[in-house]
Every structure is written in C-alpha cells, then in structure tokens.
Amino acid sequence: MTVQCNMGLTNKGSSVGAARITGLPFAVSNTTGGQPAGTIHFGQILITGMVTAYSDINTTTINLRKISDGGANASLKDTDCANDTVIIMTMSYRV
C-alpha cells in the first residue's frame, strides 16, 4: 500500500502530545521488521534539524518525530509547528 499526504495548516490552534497522522486505509502488517518509514517534507517548521515519519506494525497511524542537529530524537509537538506549516509525505507499507 502506498499513501500520500499533502496538508497545509491555516490556524493550528493548540494541542497536547505527539503530532501524528491517523486513519491509514489499512493497518501496517503485523510482521517483525515490517515497520515502514516515509519520505517527508516540511515547510514553515519551527525546529532545527530534521523530521522523520514512521508507523508501528499493526497500526493505522503515522508518527512524526524530530531529530535535532545534535541527534536527539523526540516526538514532534504542536509548538514545533507554525500556523502555516506544510506537510508533504509518501509512505509505502505492507498490509
């Protein structure tokens, strides 16, 4: 399965917790080592470093993570995004 996302925020409001994209059409295959990673582009993001995307097996959710210039890995949060943040991504996975 290949999914694509092209999303732009216009007024993000506020939220608590990790940024995620939910509602994949099928769950990721429950296979050891089957955890997919996506190709992602962010515009108007308020961090230095990079953003990654992946899904856990047996879920329909894409997790968004930030990796700082120093290598620290953490969940992307509301405060990392601007009111006009853009997310463009593609991910392929087994069902």
Side-chain angles (χ1 to χ4, degrees), residues 13 38 41 44 51-52 54 60 64 69 76-77 79 85 87 94:
H41 165 77
Q44 309 304 339
V51 177
T52 63
Y54 73 93
T60 58
L64 302 176
D69 289 339
L76 192 71
K77 307 280 186 194
T79 54
T85 292
I87 302 169
R94 292 182 183 215

Side-chain angles (χ1 to χ4, degrees), residues 74-87:
S75 294
L76 192 71
K77 307 280 186 194
D78 171 74
T79 54
D80 299 321
C81 298
N83 282 327
D84 57 350
T85 292
V86 173
I87 302 169

Side-chain angles (χ1 to χ4, degrees), residues 2 5 9-10 21 27 35 37 46 50 54 57-59 74 83 86:
T2 297
C5 171
L9 302 179
T10 56
I21 299 171
Q35 187 178 35
L46 304 176
M50 62 184 278
Y54 73 93
I57 60 173
N58 208 29
T59 68
N83 282 327
V86 173

Side-chain angles (χ1 to χ4, degrees), residues 19-57:
R20 301 179 302 161
I21 299 171
T22 61
L24 293 175
F26 302 99
V28 174
S29 176
N30 192 10
T31 305
T32 302
Q35 187 178 35
T39 301
I40 192 164
H41 165 77
F42 267 81
Q44 309 304 339
I45 190 114
L46 304 176
I47 65 166
T48 58
M50 62 184 278
V51 177
T52 63
Y54 73 93
S55 288
D56 291 314
I57 60 173

